[in-house]
Structure formats: C-alpha cells, structure tokens
Amino acid sequence: MAAPTISHLILTGALIGVIFTVQVFYFYVVDNISSEMLRRELRELTDYVADTIANLYLLLNATNTNPPLEKSLKLPLDVGGSFYAIEITRDASNNAQTVKGAIQRKSWLNVTSWLPRGLKVDTLRTQTIGFSGRTAVAGCRRDASIIYVWIAYKG
C-alpha cells in the first residue's frame, strides 16, 4: 500500500514545482512584451516630435523671411500608464542630435529619433517635456544662417 502513496506524493510535488516554474517564466515573458510595447509607443512619440521639427525646418528653408515658427504638439499624458519625458539632445557645440524619449523610473527604457543635420538647439527656449497637461510646442527660427530649434511648453 505504500507504493501508491509515494508515487502520489512525488507527482503532487512535481506538479507544484511545474506550476511555480511556469509562473516565473510567464511573468518574465509578459514583462518583456510590456517593455517592448512601451518602447514602441515611445518611439512613435519621438518620431512625431522629430518629424515636426524637420517639417518646420523645411518650411523655414522654403521662405525668405525669418519668422519663428511654432507648432503645437499633441502629446498624451502617459505612455502605457507610465510617465515619460522628451528632450532634444545636443553636443558640446549645441548642435541638435536627436529627440530622446525616456520612461520615468525606468531609465533603461529610452528611444531616440534623429534630427536633420545643421540645426542648433535654442538653449534659452528648450525644455524637457512630458506628462504635464500643458500644451507643448516645437519651434524653429533662423538667425542669420543658423537655424535654431526647441521644444517647450507654451506660455
């Protein structure tokens, strides 16, 4: 009579072990999928901001006047339930490099979108924008032969 009891205990222990092992791998896969979805949504935002800046740059180059151009950005309050920040990165000479987006409290989760070459960052106007309910704008202006770009909150 001991043989059926022992095999029953072994099978029950193995089944419990399999259930806990599957849970660990399941949560790992779900976390990877949610991180990839956050990355893709953030990529859409940075591409949108970079494309808006590139379009303003092209529009400014098509005119002979020097008015500063601004366009309101339609940004969500959050990305996948997480707060985010978007900024224009620059080098030591204030040349605009990329639009960088990052999820707050997850610094490893960030993406970049490239900007056209030859743009300078207007350091007096540019800000890091993100999860505020305020209206954000992308801007572009020409000063002699130098074209400055920025992103900031309106007003």
Side-chain angles (χ1 to χ4, degrees):
M1 290 285 251
T5 306
I6 296 293
S7 64
H8 181 8
L9 289 175
I10 291 172
L11 182 60
T12 303
L15 189 57
I16 291 171
V18 166
I19 289 172
F20 284 118
T21 304
V22 168
Q23 268 186 336
V24 168
F25 287 111
Y26 173 77
F27 288 127
Y28 177 73
V29 169
V30 168
D31 188 46
N32 282 343
I33 290 171
S34 66
S35 295
E36 184 61 31
M37 291 305 295
L38 280 174
R39 185 175 280 117
R40 287 181 185 192
E41 287 183 42
L42 196 58
R43 167 76 65 189
E44 283 185 32
L45 281 180
T46 57
D47 284 347
Y48 166 66
V49 173
D51 289 344
T52 300
I53 291 173
N55 289 339
L56 289 173
Y57 166 65
L58 293 173
L59 188 60
L60 191 66
N61 268 346
T63 64
N64 291 331
T65 60
N66 294 332
L69 301 175
E70 283 189 347
K71 182 175 188 300
S72 294
L73 299 173
K74 294 178 176 73
L75 299 174
L77 291 176
D78 61 7
V79 172
S82 300
F83 296 132
Y84 65 93
I86 295 178
E87 65 180 338
I88 299 176
T89 60
R90 60 183 187 260
D91 62 9
S93 303
N94 284 336
N95 292 316
Q97 301 290 314
T98 61
V99 174
K100 178 183 176 185
I103 299 292
Q104 291 193 344
R105 295 190 190 109
K106 294 181 182 179
S107 60
W108 53 271
L109 191 56
N110 59 58
V111 295
T112 57
S113 298
W114 292 96
L115 289 171
R117 293 174 49 124
L119 301 175
K120 296 270 190 188
V121 176
D122 189 341
T123 56
L124 298 176
R125 291 187 183 182
T126 197
Q127 298 173 340
T128 300
I129 59 173
F131 56 90
S132 168
R134 298 168 54 194
T135 303
V137 295
C140 186
R141 71 176 173 87
R142 183 184 358 232
D143 187 18
S145 64
I146 301 171
I147 296 181
Y148 293 95
V149 295
W150 67 89
I151 55 175
Y153 290 113
K154 190 167 185 116

